[in-house]
Each structure stands twice: as C-alpha cells, then as structure tokens.
Amino acid sequence: MVRKIRELLFPLRLSGRKQFNRDLLEQQREDVFVLMHQQMGGLR
C-alpha cells in the first residue's frame, strides 16, 4: 500500500529533465485520493 502511494507520488525519472506536467500531477493526485479512501473504507 505505502509502496503504491510512493510510486504514484514519486515516479522514477527517465531523464534528467524536470518538466512540470500539470495534467500528470492532477491525475496522480486523484489516484492517491481514491487509493486512500478505498483503504480507509476497508478499515471500518
């Protein structure tokens, strides 16, 4: 679970260029949000 979140938040960089990709950031943020809520729902 933690590894999956870490992979979403800190993907491996394939090149030395660090371009800001707003769309990718938003998609990853949404993915993490869904993952967290799924996990919290399973704790009830």
Side-chain angles (χ1 to χ4, degrees):
M1 166 66 186
V2 173
R3 191 178 98 226
K4 180 70 173 172
I5 292 176
R6 189 174 295 148
E7 288 172 359
L8 288 171
L9 292 175
F10 307 108
L12 295 176
R13 299 202 184 277
L14 299 177
S15 67
R17 294 172 54 196
K18 294 183 180 179
Q19 285 186 317
F20 182 74
N21 187 334
R22 185 178 192 94
D23 293 333
L24 182 59
L25 176 65
E26 289 297 322
Q27 180 60 48
Q28 289 179 350
R29 183 179 299 157
E30 290 173 15
D31 291 346
V32 170
F33 184 79
V34 168
L35 260 174
M36 289 174 60
H37 278 273
Q38 286 175 346
Q39 291 299 316
M40 294 304 289
L43 295 176
R44 293 181 198 184

